[in-house]
């Protein structure tokens, strides 16, 4: 019942680790029961005509099926540790503050107790005055569903031993994950830094934005969106070292039109319904960043209370402009037992937001 729960579910789908349908499992179980029951009876009675042979055929069937299930599981699930992560980095340009939040799911190929920590990373162009301060925690599932934090039935613990936090809360020690199981984590970090991006923005008499943004981040900003008041200005490309004029040539739309994917069909303006079961990470992250601009609970039919601090809808109506974009930078590095996950087993989405003051 919360956007964070939808993100958590989306991050639980790992490429290269297929989900086996219940119908397939049920069919295989039924086939196994037929094999060790009627088929085995027919084999030893009618074909071999030696009922005592069941002492050989029955154990043989169990061994063959067990070995086949074991081999199939390893082939389908693999032996690699995998990670799906989303990171949102917010810059208060005027206040020279940076806040990062990471949400991550890990898939473990074996039962193990891990040491979990996050090493925040920023591009070379952004130099914090001091190392970021980090807090790491588990990420619960909001709501009353099975395994949810508000579920009326508490599931029994799978493992008896508890895990622990470091004194500074920046590391979790002895976190158990079962074989071919997943576990969710979240981390937040803060630092002081001046991002090399400049904006000279002002509100005109018609409450529209004008001005210029200059990018010296060291990388391009693609498919960025500049939010202010009830408007959003699409910026297809803001190259590194370049600048762009903010005016009507950017063809601003209302934020609700953009976020709800409204389209004109004849004389009617149709709103694309929000899919609460979607696993589109970019779409979910977009809603987590500006849910109220899209209509809030009326549109998403999901609350946003668990990680509600990510919502910057109110800022854009209080004399601030927010530039949001997905960026192709490495982002923070999760470490399990001090070792990072292999890059080929890692899916990572990184979003940057910059909060600019606006002259009114």
């Amino acid at each position: 019942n919360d956007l964070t729960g939808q993100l958590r579910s989306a991050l639980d789908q790992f490429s290269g680790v297929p989900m086996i349908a219940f119908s397939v499992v049920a069919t295989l179980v039924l086939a196994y029961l037929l094999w060790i029951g009627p088929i085995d009876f027919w084999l030893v009675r009618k074909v071999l005509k030696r009922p005592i042979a069941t002492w050989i055929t029955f154990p043989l069937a169990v061994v063959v099926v067990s070995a086949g299930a074991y081999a199939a599981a390893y082939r389908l699930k693999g032996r690699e540790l995998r990670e799906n992560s989303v990171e949102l980095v917010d810059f208060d340009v005027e206040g020279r503050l940076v806040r990062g939040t990471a949400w991550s799911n890990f898939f473990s190929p074996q039962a193990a107790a891990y040491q979990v920590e996050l090493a925040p990373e920023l591009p070379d162009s952004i130099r914090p005055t001091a190392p970021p301060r980090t807090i790491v925690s588990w990420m619960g599932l909001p709501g009353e569903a099975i395994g949810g934090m508000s579920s009326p039935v508490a599931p029994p613990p799978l493992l008896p031993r508890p895990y622990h936090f470091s004194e500074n809360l920046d590391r979790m020690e002895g976190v158990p994950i079962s074989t071919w199981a997943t576990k969710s984590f979240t981390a937040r970090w803060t630092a002081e830094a001046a991002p090399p991006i400049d904006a000279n923005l002002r509100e005109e008499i018609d409450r529209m934005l004008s001005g210029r943004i200059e990018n010296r981040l060291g990388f391009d900003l693609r498919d960025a969106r500049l939010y202010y008041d009830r408007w959003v200005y699409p910026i297809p490309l803001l190259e590194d070292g370049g600048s762009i004029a903010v005016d009507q040539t950017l063809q601003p739309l209302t934020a609700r039109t953009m976020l709800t994917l409204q389209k004109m069909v004849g004389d009617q303006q149709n709103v694309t319904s929000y899919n609460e079961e979607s696993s589109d990470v970019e779409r979910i992250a977009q809603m987590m960043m500006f849910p109220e601009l899209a209509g809030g609970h009326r549109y998403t039919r999901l609350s946003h209370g668990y990680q509600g601090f990510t919502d910057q809808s109110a800022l854009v109506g209080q004399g601030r402009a927010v530039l949001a974009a997905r960026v192709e930078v490495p982002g923070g590095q999760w470490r399990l037992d001090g070792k990072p996950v292999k890059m080929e087993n890692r899916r990572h989405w990184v979003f940057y937001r910059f909060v600019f003051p606006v002259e009114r």
Side-chain angles (χ1 to χ4, degrees):
N1 61 3
D2 191 280
L3 283 167
T4 308
Q6 185 182 14
L7 177 66
R8 189 178 184 269
S9 298
L11 293 177
D12 220 26
Q13 301 183 27
F14 293 83
S15 60
V17 183
M19 297 294 292
I20 308 302
F22 175 77
S23 58
V24 175
V25 177
T27 301
L28 293 175
V29 170
L30 179 60
Y32 174 61
L33 294 176
L34 290 175
W35 185 358
I36 64 175
I39 295 177
D40 184 72
F41 178 81
W42 174 81
L43 179 64
V44 299
R45 286 278 185 172
K46 303 297 183 181
V47 178
L48 301 178
K49 296 182 180 180
R50 291 178 178 272
I52 198 173
T54 192
W55 287 97
I56 298 176
T57 58
F58 179 80
L60 181 62
V62 173
V63 170
V64 170
V65 171
S66 299
Y70 184 81
Y74 260 105
R75 183 176 180 83
L76 293 173
K77 301 295 185 180
R79 304 187 183 188
E80 300 290 337
L81 181 68
R82 299 177 184 271
E83 172 196 344
N84 289 339
S85 294
V86 171
E87 187 168 4
L88 174 61
V89 183
D90 290 316
F91 297 86
D92 180 357
V93 177
E94 187 178 32
R96 301 168 65 91
L97 297 174
V98 187
R99 176 186 70 191
T101 309
W103 302 272
S104 303
N105 281 26
F106 290 95
F107 172 85
S108 177
Q110 60 185 3
Y114 295 96
Q115 176 180 293
V116 183
E117 57 189 326
L118 177 72
E121 291 186 16
L122 288 169
D124 293 337
S125 60
I126 304 171
R127 298 179 179 178
T129 58
R133 299 175 296 277
T134 307
I135 292 179
V136 177
S137 178
W138 56 277
M139 180 168 68
L141 176 66
E144 299 180 354
I146 296 176
M149 293 185 293
S150 300
S151 175
V153 179
L158 295 177
L159 299 169
R161 293 195 306 173
Y163 54 84
H164 304 277
F165 288 84
S166 65
E167 183 177 353
N168 296 326
L169 305 180
D170 59 352
R171 186 176 65 253
M172 303 171 68
E173 300 171 348
V175 182
I177 307 180
S178 301
T179 304
W180 298 321
T182 63
K183 206 169 190 69
S184 304
F185 300 94
T186 184
R188 293 175 68 179
W189 56 267
T190 55
E192 296 182 6
I197 185 169
D198 295 326
N200 181 14
L201 302 174
R202 61 185 176 274
E203 180 188 297
E204 301 295 346
I205 195 170
D206 58 359
R207 300 187 68 181
M208 303 296 288
L209 271 183
S210 65
R212 182 168 291 274
I213 300 176
E214 182 180 356
N215 177 17
R216 292 178 286 104
L217 291 165
F219 51 88
D220 298 341
L221 294 177
R222 299 180 182 274
D223 298 324
R225 296 176 179 180
L226 180 64
Y227 293 84
Y228 182 72
D229 197 45
R230 57 189 289 263
W231 300 99
V232 57
Y233 299 75
I235 302 177
L237 175 64
L238 180 53
E239 294 181 332
D240 176 41
S243 64
I244 190 169
V246 178
D247 52 32
Q248 294 296 320
T249 60
L250 292 178
Q251 299 180 345
L253 301 170
T254 65
R256 181 165 296 189
T257 297
M258 175 73 76
L259 291 170
T260 59
L261 308 178
Q262 294 184 19
K263 298 179 181 179
M264 292 299 298
V265 180
D267 296 333
Q268 301 292 325
Q269 194 169 33
N270 290 351
V271 175
T272 302
S273 298
Y274 187 73
N275 183 4
E276 305 104 301
E277 298 181 0
S278 170
S279 58
D280 185 342
V281 171
E282 291 197 41
R283 178 77 170 140
I284 299 169
Q286 188 181 67
M287 284 297 113
M288 291 180 65
M289 288 190 278
F290 302 100
E292 293 303 317
L293 294 182
H297 187 274
R298 295 187 304 276
Y299 176 64
T300 62
R301 297 181 295 277
L302 295 171
S303 63
H304 190 30
Y306 186 34
Q307 306 275 302
F309 63 88
T310 62
D311 181 9
Q312 291 191 352
S313 301
L315 279 180
V316 300
Q318 299 174 355
R320 295 290 187 272
V322 179
L323 179 66
R326 182 182 175 188
V327 296
E328 298 298 330
V329 297
Q333 181 69 69
W334 284 96
R335 298 180 182 274
L336 301 186
D337 295 337
K339 300 177 182 179
V341 180
K342 295 180 181 178
M343 291 302 297
E344 59 267 23
N345 297 328
R346 187 182 190 219
R347 297 173 64 203
H348 202 194
W349 294 263
V350 182
F351 300 89
Y352 275 19
R353 289 191 298 188
F354 304 91
V355 181
F356 301 118
V358 177
E359 180 184 348
R360 306 177 78 176

